[in-house]
Amino acid sequence: MITTSKITMRFSKTALFEDVSVKFVPGNRYGLIGANGSGKSTFMKILTGQLEPSEGTVTIGPGCTLGYLRQDHSAFDEYTILDTVCMGNPKLWALHCERELLYSKDELSDEEHDRCSHIEHDFGEAGGYTMESEAATLLVGLGFTEDLFGQSMTVLQGGFKLRVLLAQVLFGKPDLLMLDEPTNHLDMESIEWLVELLQDYKGMIITISHDRFFLNQVCTHIADLDFHEIRLFPGNYDDFTIASLEARELQEKQNQKVERQANDLKAFISRFSSNASKAKQATSRKKTLEKLEIVKIKASSRVSPFIRFKPKKRLGDKVIEATAISKAYDKSLFSDFSCTIGPEERVAIVGKNGIGKTTLLNILCKQLESDSGQVLFGETVQVSLFPQDSSTLLNAETPALDWLGRFADAGTAEVELRSFMGKMLFKGQDVLKKTGVLSGGEKARLIISKMLLEGGNVLALDEPTNHLDLESIEELNYGLSLFPHTLIFVSHDHRFIATLATRILEVTEHGIIDYRGTLDEFEAWKKAQKTR
């Protein structure tokens, strides 16, 4: 069990949260949610002892072991991938290192001989003989092949390093598992594997995530950081959404009832306070009025942008026609793939990381040349693009307002552009920030703003939810659901795909699967294929 007592965290004069007293109970799996900048990661670092709170205390139950998903991706560069995972169990790793050292010596002292007679027992009791096979199982589940196990961590890019660190913390089997955005850089297959593993996990879990599918599948409780406090809700993310909305509506109705009662009392007092026969009743109602209390509904730290895509030009019947396209780098990604994408289709491109999803999207949108074949657009097509790497669009030294102004209609006044950016959550002087200093979420909202101004009739998005908070993801999801024309997107967000896609292109090692149907239908079809 882990409890906090009156935790307060201030930076300068600004309080992220105040007097937070919560109890996290063994066996539960908590989703820690809140708006970007509300203090989720800070709170988790306080729980793990990495940060000292301004006030208050954290108490962890005696003997409780704690595992935390590291964010320092270079901490284990001198070790192999398999060894890095095994280090997740410090006691076992220490025994392993001692055993290896003893057996590497040509001559042993009497004391070392004596230790050798005991270390095999200790090593076996700690799980040493299955250590490497268990670590390998975790790595395979996260998409690694056996030929990588003995290689240095330096051969991996950031996203894959994060997977190894995730395997490391899972290998330790701590009583309390703390995960800060564990689904970042994971593909759908790896996320589903992680979901299954965490559902069976016996210890307590506290996780920060903006993946709604992950929160719904894993969490038994939601810890909501809002109003500078944390409130616990039983159930998953969807349960929390309903419960919090109902609680707010109930409080608003109660306040309206109190206001009506107060107005009635004021009217009676005003009318009869000077009437001798009604003086007693007026006095009684004054006392009742003084006791009435309207509960102030705090302003939430959650704010949502306003996203509505309005195409400027009608889209004709012919949209995109790809004929026998192929692409290879060190190896072939896909070859001789043909498809025709029509109006009103919503095409999700899915597959493992590094398999070629972005490449396929860019070729279909004429952002990249294929090695062979051709892609033709219909005459009316106007593509608006959201790239995975924002640096391909943004100039780091240009203020956000100036950069966005390039996509506005001629004659658009600065005050209009500022108002538009306000709807996308750029307030006051935020619009003058250089794009290079914007957060990941701000950059994503700025590029979406660009798409809104462009008014394209074909939208192409590559991992648009990566840096957005839950509120912005929900709004983007809703805005795209209302878009009347063609949509092509790459995503690993299960719910995003499930609620939008009418067609799935899965890029695999053996070619591209073109399935006309929803994600649920596609997954059911794949399961049926495996059982044949």
Side-chain angles (χ1 to χ4, degrees):
M1 183 167 67
I2 183 168
T3 59
T4 68
S5 177
K6 300 196 175 200
I7 292 287
T8 295
M9 193 64 182
R10 296 189 188 91
F11 292 101
S12 186
K13 294 181 180 180
T14 305
L16 276 179
F17 37 82
E18 299 177 280
D19 294 329
V20 173
S21 297
V22 291
K23 181 187 290 185
F24 298 101
V25 179
N28 291 341
R29 302 189 295 267
Y30 298 90
L32 179 58
I33 66 170
N36 282 350
S38 61
K40 302 184 295 295
S41 293
T42 299
F43 183 73
M44 184 170 279
K45 286 178 180 176
I46 290 172
L47 293 182
T48 59
Q50 296 175 80
L51 279 179
E52 284 291 325
S54 303
E55 297 172 21
T57 57
V58 176
T59 305
I60 299 176
C64 178
T65 56
L66 186 150
Y68 175 66
L69 178 61
R70 295 173 180 269
Q71 300 299 314
D72 182 1
H73 294 184
S74 61
F76 298 90
D77 280 357
E78 61 186 284
Y79 299 98
T80 67
I81 291 169
L82 190 67
D83 284 351
T84 299
V85 177
C86 294
M87 291 167 73
N89 185 331
K91 178 183 175 183
L92 177 56
W93 181 251
L95 285 169
H96 166 76
C97 292
E98 183 185 3
R99 180 173 177 263
E100 291 292 303
L101 178 62
L102 287 171
Y103 290 166
S104 69
K105 292 184 176 182
D106 295 328
E107 293 185 13
L108 299 175
S109 66
D110 291 342
E111 186 179 339
E112 288 172 333
H113 269 297
D114 186 52
R115 179 58 181 148
C116 279
S117 64
H118 293 93
I119 197 167
E120 287 300 331
H121 175 268
D122 295 344
F123 186 66
E125 283 289 303
Y129 299 121
T130 59
M131 176 180 75
E132 291 189 350
S133 64
E134 289 179 8
T137 299
L138 287 169
L139 287 169
V140 169
L142 285 166
F144 291 90
T145 52
E146 193 172 336
D147 59 296
L148 286 170
F149 294 174
Q151 295 193 42
S152 166
M153 285 283 285
T154 54
V155 304
L156 301 178
Q157 298 299 315
F160 282 94
K161 280 187 178 180
L162 181 65
R163 294 186 189 205
V164 177
L165 298 179
L166 176 57
Q168 182 190 70
V169 74
L170 292 171
F171 183 78
K173 298 176 183 176
D175 301 315
L176 172 55
L177 189 59
M178 293 198 182
L179 307 170
D180 190 348
E181 297 287 8
T183 62
N184 276 3
H185 307 291
L186 295 186
D187 54 38
M188 280 181 60
E189 189 174 311
S190 295
I191 291 173
E192 289 172 1
W193 173 88
L194 179 61
V195 163
E196 288 183 15
L197 188 146
L198 295 181
Q199 285 174 338
D200 294 333
Y201 199 79
K202 302 303 179 186
M204 190 201 323
I205 297 171
I206 302 175
T207 181
I208 297 171
S209 181
H210 63 244
D211 188 310
R212 297 162 295 173
F213 169 79
F214 180 79
L215 290 170
N216 276 333
Q217 295 296 314
V218 170
C219 297
T220 62
H221 292 74
I222 296 295
D224 179 37
L225 204 171
D226 197 8
F227 311 110
H228 302 290
E229 62 186 19
I230 290 180
R231 294 176 295 169
L232 296 180
F233 292 81
N236 61 19
Y237 177 70
D238 283 349
D239 296 327
F240 154 76
T241 303
I242 295 168
S244 60
L245 185 62
E246 288 178 345
R248 188 175 184 87
E249 288 177 349
L250 183 64
Q251 188 60 64
E252 287 174 348
K253 287 179 180 177
Q254 182 63 29
N255 281 351
Q256 289 170 3
K257 182 180 177 181
V258 171
E259 283 180 358
R260 286 195 298 270
Q261 186 181 357
N263 289 334
D264 290 343
L265 290 170
K266 287 175 184 176
F268 185 92
I269 293 164
S270 174
R271 183 176 178 185
F272 296 111
S273 57
S274 58
N275 187 321
S277 64
K278 298 282 188 179
K280 267 192 175 182
Q281 293 178 48
T283 302
S284 174
R285 280 168 171 74
K286 277 184 183 179
K287 290 179 180 178
T288 302
L289 180 61
E290 288 168 2
K291 292 177 182 178
L292 289 181
E293 182 181 358
I294 293 177
V295 177
K296 185 179 179 181
I297 299 175
K298 297 179 182 178
S300 172
S301 59
R302 286 190 173 84
V303 284
S304 298
F306 183 78
I307 300 174
R308 297 293 183 272
F309 297 95
K310 295 180 179 178
K312 293 181 178 179
K313 188 176 180 181
R314 186 188 68 82
L315 184 63
D317 293 334
K318 185 176 179 181
V319 183
I320 298 173
E321 184 177 344
T323 305
I325 58 173
S326 302
K327 193 67 182 178
Y329 291 106
D330 294 334
K331 62 178 182 179
S332 174
L333 295 178
F334 47 83
S335 60
D336 296 325
F337 175 67
S338 300
C339 72
T340 300
I341 298 173
E344 300 181 19
E345 284 202 277
R346 300 167 180 270
V347 183
I349 301 175
V350 302
K352 293 179 179 178
N353 284 344
I355 201 75
K357 302 186 297 295
T358 294
T359 300
L360 178 60
L361 178 71
N362 285 335
I363 289 174
L364 291 176
C365 296
K366 289 190 172 184
Q367 300 296 308
L368 178 68
E369 286 287 331
S370 59
D371 295 338
S372 61
Q374 64 176 351
V375 174
L376 298 176
F377 281 179
E379 291 182 2
T380 59
V381 168
Q382 292 180 331
V383 176
S384 190
L385 182 70
F386 182 108
Q388 185 178 144
D389 181 3
S390 61
S391 66
T392 60
L393 275 183
L394 301 175
N395 184 328
E397 294 301 314
T398 304
L401 181 68
D402 293 347
W403 182 84
L404 189 61
R406 300 170 185 171
F407 304 95
D409 292 335
T412 301
E414 182 179 310
V415 66
E416 291 180 72
L417 197 56
R418 281 176 174 267
S419 175
F420 173 77
M421 291 182 75
K423 293 179 181 178
M424 293 299 291
L425 310 185
F426 290 92
K427 305 297 184 185
Q429 296 303 304
D430 287 349
V431 303
L432 300 179
K433 285 183 183 177
K434 291 183 178 180
T435 65
V437 302
L438 297 178
S439 69
E442 287 172 326
K443 287 177 181 177
R445 284 186 275 108
L446 186 62
I447 293 173
I448 293 170
S449 300
K450 182 265 305 183
M451 296 177 71
L452 295 173
L453 290 176
E454 285 175 329
N457 53 23
V458 174
L459 303 184
L461 304 97
D462 192 355
E463 300 284 11
T465 64
N466 274 357
H467 299 289
L468 297 177
D469 58 21
L470 283 162
E471 288 67 43
S472 296
I473 291 172
E474 295 276 10
E475 181 63 17
L476 175 61
N477 205 151
Y478 182 63
L480 290 173
S481 74
L482 299 177
F483 184 67
H485 296 319
T486 303
L487 174 64
I488 311 172
F489 62 98
V490 174
S491 181
H492 64 248
D493 186 317
H494 191 285
R495 185 159 171 174
F496 193 76
I497 301 167
T499 54
L500 290 174
T502 59
R503 182 176 177 182
I504 307 292
L505 297 181
E506 183 180 26
V507 186
T508 75
E509 294 89 344
H510 310 293
I512 298 172
I513 299 171
D514 187 352
Y515 182 88
R516 294 176 184 272
T518 65
L519 179 63
D520 289 342
E521 291 167 345
F522 177 62
E523 290 181 336
W525 174 80
K526 284 182 72 175
K527 285 180 182 177
Q529 296 298 304
K530 287 179 181 179
T531 58
R532 288 182 180 178

